[in-house]
Amino acid sequence: MRPLPELTPENTAFWTGGAQGDLLIARCDDCNHAIHPPQLVCPKCWGTAVKSRAVPGTGTVYSFTVNHQPWAPGMAVPFALAVVDLDEAPGVRITAEVVNAPPETVHIGQRMRAVFHAVDDIWFPQWEPVQ
Amino acid sequence: MSMNAAITGVGMSDIGRKTGRPAMLHLVEAAKRALDSAGLTRADIDGICTYPGKADNSPGMSPLGTGEVRNALGLKTRWHGAIPDGPSQMAPIMVAAMAVATGQARHVLCFRALTESSSQTAAQRASIPGSGRARLGGWYSYLVPANAMSASNWAGWMATRYFHEFGMTREHLGMVATGQRAFARHNPASVMQAPLTMEDYLDARMISSPLGLFDCDVPIDGACVVIVSAADAAKDCARAPLTIEAMGAALESQETWDQRADLTTMGAHDACADLWSRTDMKPTDIDVLALYDGFSIFVPYWLEAFGFCGHGEAKDFIAEGHIGPGGRYPVNTGGGQLSGGRLHGFGLLHEACTQLWGEGGGRQVKDAKAAVCGMGGGFIAGSMLIRRD
Ligand SMILES: [Zn+2]
């Protein structure tokens, strides 16, 4: 079974926004800097008015890998992991599993949209190709 | 320009796969060999450093901290410390250099011990952070729960982007793997001794594309010790002191494996630029290269980071034969971690020192006087230049 992330004040929005279908990214209210992984402080201006805001949940594949090795008991392989440059959150990438597409079709430059997979109290973003 | 610090001795235990041997027995063997190499006794050791300290974040990752080793070896020290969050596995050696240069200690025993091979089971894989735990925090909590569990995944997407931008192919990485195996066949301590052909390399199963089995280093049980001495104390040691000319530890991006703006570079590029800013020596002065090869793809990154070739040129540099046996810039002459076993960078530095002392046997690089060592991959990086006068 995959380990789950520990929920903290900084990351709860990111890991639970999927319950409402939202990909929530931490954003500095003072300078609008997009912060990922989420922090309580803005690394750009040290402001502490950090709020999580929904982004469209789309993006472009910067890179990927197809994993063939079962690293944990019950891990189904192969599957693709995509590192995606997020729309409307400059500098932020979200790395997640690709679903609803054969792994060998994943490519750099491909357009993706986030869908969510719930395990306990965590809503994992996953990438689905935009048709 | 150089630091008032030198490497005076190195020692490695009889490393192996599934040795079933407790880490402490590997450690004491490596320590005895390092003391013999330096011509020192236990009483001369007044400092101890390690990476990362006793840690159970993955199975067999670090069974021994400074506490266990101080107690077991009966050491009395004036400096001790473990550095889990420093510039790579090299951090304890860097801290030791700073300790002797500032007079806090005279001879510091730096060690790395792993039992990853014996600790692996189906449910507890070596090098999977948090393996066996329910909840994760820290930087890997954005990777492991997303099923990006293995560093081979993280290195895999770096390689995919690098291949895409610069036209590197699996054959280029195959040249790294087969070249290091050719070196390993002249190193009796290496765990992988069988010949490795390009065909073997290309036929091996995929792990995380584009990285296959022989792009990944080999988990082992073992220990390695490096003794760092103050420059004046080093003069009395058995072997020629290997002066630490410069070290580099700069890091300009955040501590993640996916957010660095250009993933065809890594922390190594920052650490190496830092190193060269501290010395008048140049890449053309270097005879031996010890470059972190937890995955083969890190070798071209380190080559470019150190400036042995330009950004994007490593594939041609490798194909032209510069880094293998007989090349001008031989890399990982003991077989590296790909063939020698994963001693987390310490084994690579051990080999560089062996070369500078002219004790490399059938793999000896002629007239080797200066070496660079780079440890780490992704955001993790530390670099060092050592020379024999
Ligand atoms: Zn800000």
Side-chain angles (χ1 to χ4, degrees), chain A residues 28 31 33 42 45:
Chain A
C28 174
C31 78
H33 182 56
C42 171
C45 75

Side-chain angles (χ1 to χ4, degrees), chain B residues 52-216:
Chain B
K54 186 173 172 61
D56 61 356
N57 56 328
S58 68
M61 160 74 176
S62 188
L64 303 177
T66 59
E68 286 79 13
V69 175
R70 283 187 76 268
N71 290 354
L73 302 188
L75 295 177
K76 295 174 181 174
T77 51
R78 300 179 78 193
W79 175 260
H80 66 276
I83 304 96
D85 286 341
S88 86
Q89 303 86 345
M90 188 184 279
I93 298 165
M94 295 172 148
V95 167
M98 292 187 264
V100 298
T102 56
Q104 295 299 305
R106 299 276 287 165
H107 298 286
V108 181
L109 185 154
C110 304
F111 72 90
R112 182 80 186 97
L114 298 107
T115 52
E116 288 190 311
S117 184
S118 289
S119 303
Q120 283 206 113
T121 65
Q124 305 268 315
R125 308 273 319 189
S127 76
I128 302 298
S131 186
R133 284 203 213 158
R135 292 269 170 169
L136 299 184
W139 58 265
Y140 53 73
S141 67
Y142 294 91
L143 299 174
V144 174
N147 264 353
M149 286 197 180
S150 163
S152 68
N153 302 141
W154 320 336
W157 66 61
M158 289 169 64
T160 298
R161 185 72 199 187
Y162 189 99
F163 278 27
H164 172 79
E165 290 200 23
F166 299 116
M168 183 177 265
T169 65
R170 296 224 341 113
E171 280 77 1
H172 294 106
L173 296 183
M175 292 173 204
V176 173
T178 57
Q180 290 189 194
R181 183 64 60 86
F183 276 129
R185 289 171 55 72
H186 295 285
N187 178 10
S190 167
V191 293
M192 305 295 271
Q193 297 278 348
L196 180 72
T197 66
M198 182 62 79
E199 198 177 11
D200 298 332
Y201 169 85
L202 293 171
D203 286 348
R205 66 195 165 86
M206 193 57 73
I207 300 294
S208 191
S209 70
L211 305 177
L213 182 65
F214 293 114
D215 293 303
C216 305

